[in-house]
Amino acid sequence: MNIKKIVWTLLVLILPFLAAEAQVKISYEVSFKEPQAHYAVVKMDLSGLSKTYIDVKMPVWAPGSYLIREFSKSVEGFTASAGKTPLKVEKLKKNTWRIYSGKEKAIKINYSVYAFEVSIRTPFVDASHAFLSPTGIFMYPDDQLALGSTVKIVPFKGWDKVSTGLEPVAGRLFTYTAKNFDILYDSPIEVGNQDVFEFMAAGVKHEVAMYGGGNYNAEQLKADMPKIVEQITAMYGENPNRHYTFIVHNLSKGSGGLEHLNSTVLGVARDSYGTEAGYNGFLGLVAHEYHHLWNVKRLRPVALGPFDYENENYTTDLWIAEGFTSYYKNKFMLRAGYVTPDEFAGALISSVAGILNTPGAKIESAAASSFDAWIKYYRPTENSNNSTISYYSKGEVIGLLLDLEILHATKGSKSLDDVMKAMYLQCKTTGKGYTDAEFKAKAESISGIDLSGFWAKYVNGVTPVEYAKYFGFAGIKVQDENAGNNTPYLGTATKEINGHVVITAVSRDSGAWTDGLNVGDEVISVDGVSAEPALERMSAVLDKKVGDAITFKVKRDFLDKEIKVTLKANPNVKLVPSVDSSITEDQRMVLKSWMGLK
């Protein structure tokens, strides 16, 4: 048999199988029979089956939140049937159910999800509304993530609204479609009686769904949110969506957001809109999450899509994905006119100080922080501040430094904006994410300089930030007011718990660290004086000098101990900016370009 005949024979054998697989159809129905008990009821219909069994799986994490959350732990009552005939179900592992369908071409799957965790990342159902975070609700057939699906929402009685970025099915109320599971899992759904308003910006229709009330002014938001949208769109030259949905959960307390392909979920304190700081905080959150439309969802590290929903998806580049987004939040707020140039510079100087004052910044690099997000960032301990650094905060500072580096090298003609736009277009053209090396190469190409040293210091290393050098590029003097002060420093954080002063953190290499005060110690007295909640500000500490010893009486595991601590000098910086009176023309050009000044 020649090669052509072999190929033809193989095609004849394979094509019927491929055709059968291509005919698989999936539909879901989600209802809420007992919302007060926090349950979502899911019906999953599969048709066009060709094998004698099918495995269905529940994701273990939600993209954008890098932690294995084990969503299958909340699944109850999993059953399958063909018509009225029950089918055998076997659970293979924590998130996988095998259904023995025999010769059946169509089956029905039923299960419930307990949803009572208040979070932008997890499903939540109660008598007032339902928030469906899709990775915690919808299962998928094994190895068939490319399949499309339809989702029908059946609101509980008295609920009359559904808000989502999914595409609606014409003529079918509260029914939506997704081309594949990456889209379905990237499209949260809000169900209830949320306050909904709309605005147009960058040629795109935006829906805002407000749950939980609050002191917001919808008309003001309809005027201000578009300015953020327009500024971000202008930087990239295009908006990738036809419509966009903001789902806002206004609770007694809360902050944070989670990005999605054409939507976001925001957590906000419901009474925070009434102050300038609170309102600008909301707009800054909008700027951060909306920027993710580009940076993360499309301009993305190569590991972040297509996704593996069963395992960790490792990348060393979250300092770009999240940190640069944090940095640009400041720039977009400046460009939209919500903060002044002084406030812009001041916020970034505070961010630099925050890094310098975090002991973990000397231990963990930005790349390592990104890679270990799965085991560290979302699982902080009492020692995290000593051993880790946030890829958000370190990445924000790296974004600042790289922006100023490029502006300085090009005399203000190019900036990090140009790198971000070029990388977005590269990802759009290639259809895949970037590597760290590709991002570095693009920054070098645009800046015209070798950035190997920069990467070694700030991305892969733990070199302290050279703040005077970088702010100096823009003619801004930044000095450390604490330099040379030799102020005594204990190195503890404390909290009053049921009338007792308890140590909650001990800073690396401080006197408390070296001489053995522990987290969890109840402090009884300091040099014979009864302990006060603000331990560091007690006169028994403040009146001492570096090198003085202080006697602490503590209770540890119900045993009394006496510990002598020798005070060391305060290692923390206090950065204060000033304008360089001898600013050069090159510095002025960098400053004007950086801040968008005329």
Side-chain angles (χ1 to χ4, degrees):
M1 185 178 289
N2 62 33
I3 295 296
K4 287 185 177 180
K5 287 185 178 180
I6 292 173
V7 172
W8 176 252
T9 302
L10 289 172
L11 286 173
V12 169
L13 293 172
I14 293 172
L15 282 174
F17 173 76
L18 293 177
E21 288 297 299
Q23 293 171 9
V24 173
K25 294 182 179 179
I26 306 172
S27 64
Y28 301 91
E29 179 184 286
V30 184
S31 59
F32 312 94
K33 293 180 180 178
E34 296 180 295
Q36 84 290 345
H38 319 299
Y39 281 95
V41 179
V42 183
K43 296 180 180 179
M44 179 180 181
D45 287 358
L46 292 170
S47 62
L49 304 181
S50 60
K51 297 195 299 184
T52 58
Y53 70 86
I54 186 168
D55 294 341
V56 295
K57 298 174 176 288
M58 178 72 89
V60 303
W61 70 289
S65 180
Y66 307 101
L67 174 70
I68 298 298
R69 295 184 181 273
E70 311 292 19
F71 292 119
S72 58
K73 70 181 183 292
S74 299
V75 173
E76 299 178 19
F78 186 100
T79 62
S81 61
K84 295 183 178 180
T85 304
L87 297 175
K88 178 183 175 182
V89 175
E90 179 183 5
K91 193 168 186 182
L92 301 184
K93 57 181 185 178
K94 64 182 181 181
N95 70 321
T96 306
W97 290 257
R98 175 165 290 177
I99 302 160
Y100 293 92
S101 51
K103 296 181 180 180
E104 300 292 342
K105 303 298 182 184
I107 64 172
K108 295 181 180 293
I109 299 169
N110 294 271
Y111 59 91
S112 296
V113 176
Y114 180 73
F116 196 50
E117 180 181 352
V118 178
S119 168
I120 55 176
R121 311 167 185 90
T122 52
F124 181 91
V125 179
D126 71 4
S128 66
H129 80 129
F131 170 61
L132 305 181
S133 180
T135 49
I137 296 291
F138 300 109
M139 297 188 186
Y140 65 94
D142 189 23
D143 294 326
Q144 298 192 56
L145 289 169
L147 289 177
S149 61
T150 60
V151 175
K152 179 181 179 181
I153 304 297
V154 182
F156 188 63
K157 60 182 179 182
W159 297 355
D160 59 10
K161 294 175 184 174
V162 175
S163 300
T164 180
L166 286 170
E167 295 295 332
V169 176
R172 297 173 60 184
L173 184 65
F174 300 144
T175 303
Y176 306 89
T177 183
K179 291 194 297 184
N180 55 53
F181 277 92
D182 281 339
I183 291 176
L184 177 61
Y185 288 150
D186 216 9
S187 303
I189 305 169
E190 177 70 22
V191 189
N193 296 308
Q194 57 271 22
D195 178 22
V196 176
F197 60 86
E198 298 176 350
F199 64 84
M200 291 291 296
V204 176
K205 176 184 173 182
H206 294 73
E207 175 182 315
V208 182
M210 290 282 198
Y211 164 77
N215 61 350
Y216 62 88
N217 182 319
E219 293 304 314
Q220 184 180 9
L221 289 173
K222 286 163 68 174
D224 290 341
M225 291 173 72
K227 296 176 184 177
I228 300 291
V229 171
E230 296 284 2
Q231 288 296 333
I232 305 174
T233 302
M235 187 176 108
Y236 288 98
E238 62 183 30
N239 195 299
N241 292 132
R242 292 187 298 109
H243 58 86
Y244 188 90
T245 301
F246 292 93
I247 297 173
V248 186
H249 290 161
N250 295 304
L251 306 174
S252 59
K253 59 180 180 180
S255 63
L258 187 63
E259 70 274 7
H260 296 283
L261 194 65
N262 69 338
S263 62
T264 187
V265 184
L266 308 179
V268 183
R270 65 169 61 95
D271 294 328
S272 62
Y273 300 89
T275 66
E276 181 179 2
Y279 188 70
N280 281 353
F282 174 75
L283 292 179
L285 182 60
V286 168
H288 182 105
E289 298 306 328
Y290 200 84
H291 187 197
H292 276 316
L293 273 182
W294 294 267
N295 193 26
V296 170
K297 302 314 301 183
R298 292 162 179 86
L299 160 58
R300 60 178 175 79
V302 68
L304 298 185
F307 293 110
D308 176 351
Y309 293 100
E310 287 197 272
N311 300 287
E312 294 88 344
N313 292 226
Y314 290 103
T315 175
T316 57
D317 291 323
L318 294 180
W319 59 273
I320 300 173
E322 290 292 355
F324 280 21
T325 308
S326 293
Y327 171 62
Y328 269 100
K329 174 198 75 174
N330 299 293
K331 294 197 80 171
F332 294 134
M333 289 291 285
L334 174 66
R335 291 171 181 175
Y338 296 114
V339 299
T340 66
D342 285 348
E343 290 170 334
F344 168 73
L348 292 169
I349 289 169
S350 294
S351 296
V352 170
I355 293 296
L356 292 171
N357 292 339
T358 301
K362 299 176 182 178
I363 305 298
E364 185 179 51
S365 70
S369 174
S370 300
F371 192 84
D372 282 343
W374 298 92
I375 57 174
K376 293 186 177 181
Y377 182 76
Y378 289 97
R379 291 174 175 159
T381 70
E382 69 281 351
N383 197 48
S384 292
N385 201 53
N386 291 320
S387 60
T388 66
I389 192 68
S390 163
Y391 49 81
Y392 282 85
S393 54
K394 183 64 179 289
E396 177 186 20
V397 170
I398 295 174
L400 161 70
L401 302 184
L402 186 56
D403 200 7
L404 289 169
E405 186 83 78
I406 296 169
L407 285 161
H408 173 68
T410 63
K411 296 185 178 181
S413 64
K414 298 290 182 182
S415 71
L416 187 56
D417 291 17
D418 298 286
V419 178
M420 298 297 284
K421 182 176 181 180
M423 289 305 299
Y424 163 67
L425 294 174
Q426 175 181 307
C427 291
K428 179 182 177 181
T429 302
T430 63
K432 62 180 183 179
Y434 60 82
T435 65
D436 181 74
E438 287 175 327
F439 196 96
K440 174 175 174 287
K442 186 66 70 175
E444 289 177 331
S445 173
I446 287 173
S447 66
I449 58 176
D450 181 3
L451 291 168
S452 298
F454 183 96
W455 246 251
K457 286 181 178 180
Y458 299 120
V459 176
N460 300 312
V462 293
T463 301
V465 176
E466 301 169 278
Y467 56 87
K469 168 186 171 181
Y470 283 94
F471 282 104
F473 288 159
I476 299 173
K477 284 185 176 181
V478 179
Q479 295 178 311
D480 175 16
E481 281 195 345
N482 284 348
N485 283 351
N486 210 31
T487 306
Y489 175 70
L490 176 60
T492 62
T494 53
K495 184 177 182 180
E496 186 174 7
I497 301 175
N498 297 325
H500 303 289
V501 177
V502 179
I503 295 176
T504 57
V506 177
S507 293
R508 183 183 291 272
D509 296 331
S510 66
W513 169 285
T514 300
D515 293 322
L517 288 178
N518 286 185
V519 169
D521 285 350
E522 177 192 343
V523 183
I524 307 300
S525 65
V526 183
D527 271 354
V529 179
S530 295
E532 298 173 7
L535 200 63
E536 293 271 358
R537 295 198 292 273
M538 286 183 62
S539 59
V541 176
L542 288 177
D543 292 346
K544 298 294 191 297
K545 297 179 181 178
V546 173
D548 287 349
I550 302 177
T551 300
F552 288 82
K553 286 187 178 180
V554 304
K555 191 176 290 292
R556 181 182 298 170
D557 192 27
F558 298 103
L559 298 177
D560 292 328
K561 289 184 174 292
E562 187 172 285
I563 299 173
K564 286 191 175 182
V565 175
T566 300
L567 295 175
K568 295 184 179 182
N570 189 344
N572 293 330
V573 302
K574 183 180 179 182
L575 302 184
V576 178
S578 61
V579 177
D580 190 339
S581 59
S582 59
I583 187 171
T584 68
E585 187 57 34
D586 284 350
Q587 289 173 318
R588 197 182 307 277
M589 290 174 66
V590 168
L591 180 65
K592 289 173 65 176
S593 182
W594 182 42
M595 292 192 175
L597 303 175
K598 296 181 179 179

